Amino acid sequence: MKVRFGSMKERRLAHDLRVLADLAEMYCDRHHADRARSAFASPAAAAGPYGRKRLTLCEECADHLRYGQARRARCPMDPKPFCSHCTSRCYRDSEAEWQRMVMRYSGPRSWRRGHLLDGLRHAIATARRRRRVRRATGAEA
């Protein structure tokens, strides 16, 4: 049975899953080009958030993406903040490090895959968060 992603929360989840998959695919394309790749399959992918897009990843990246999808789907925060801004740590340390590595590489390049607005939102949210932290700690700007 396919999930339709009709409500706002489901659309947000589908969007986040697409972004996560695009970033993982960009990272895998660059860093694991010499590895065998196959079509990506997971319970989240079967629900249809990617539409007709067919992801191809190496097994390592596919495993990390499956883990990330499961964590995102079970996120207790509503509305969900960016993981780097969240007080609740969902990821194991090794998985969090992998995600940071992927974000560092793919984030600045994500505009090429249609995620320019996502990047701008993230930059604005990060700047606002830093400003709030500075004000709360009394540090000079």
Side-chain angles (χ1 to χ4, degrees):
M1 182 172 110
K2 275 200 168 188
V3 177
R4 293 242 179 230
F5 295 109
S7 74
M8 181 58 144
K9 188 172 183 175
E10 290 167 339
R11 282 191 305 228
R12 185 75 203 150
L13 172 60
H15 175 78
D16 288 351
L17 293 178
R18 280 191 300 273
V19 171
L20 188 61
D22 279 348
L23 297 181
E25 190 175 40
M26 288 171 62
Y27 180 84
C28 191
D29 285 347
R30 174 66 168 94
H31 292 89
H32 302 150
D34 58 333
R35 296 184 186 180
R37 302 166 128 223
S38 60
F40 177 71
S42 74
Y50 308 128
R52 293 182 178 185
K53 181 177 171 109
R54 183 179 165 161
L55 299 172
T56 56
L57 299 170
C58 71
E59 195 55 41
E60 178 188 350
C61 291
D63 289 342
H64 287 297
L65 181 55
R66 283 185 201 96
Y67 181 85
Q69 289 174 333
R71 297 285 95 198
R72 173 57 187 97
R74 293 183 189 105
C75 181
M77 307 302 273
D78 189 28
K80 185 200 174 307
F82 295 112
C83 291
S84 59
H85 303 172
C86 190
T87 57
S88 171
R89 294 292 174 219
C90 300
Y91 282 75
R92 292 187 301 245
D93 289 342
S94 61
E95 294 291 339
E97 182 55 37
W98 187 85
Q99 285 293 342
R100 277 190 291 274
M101 198 169 52
V102 167
M103 298 297 169
R104 274 188 216 117
Y105 174 78
S106 301
R109 295 161 180 82
S110 64
W111 63 271
R112 296 177 190 158
R113 295 240 180 148
H115 299 294
L116 177 62
L117 292 179
D118 296 321
L120 291 174
R121 279 188 208 109
H122 195 282
I124 290 167
T126 299
R128 285 180 180 160
R129 181 173 181 268
R130 285 183 183 151
R131 211 176 358 230
R132 276 195 307 269
V133 168
R134 268 190 254 134
R135 285 185 195 144
T137 60
E140 291 292 317

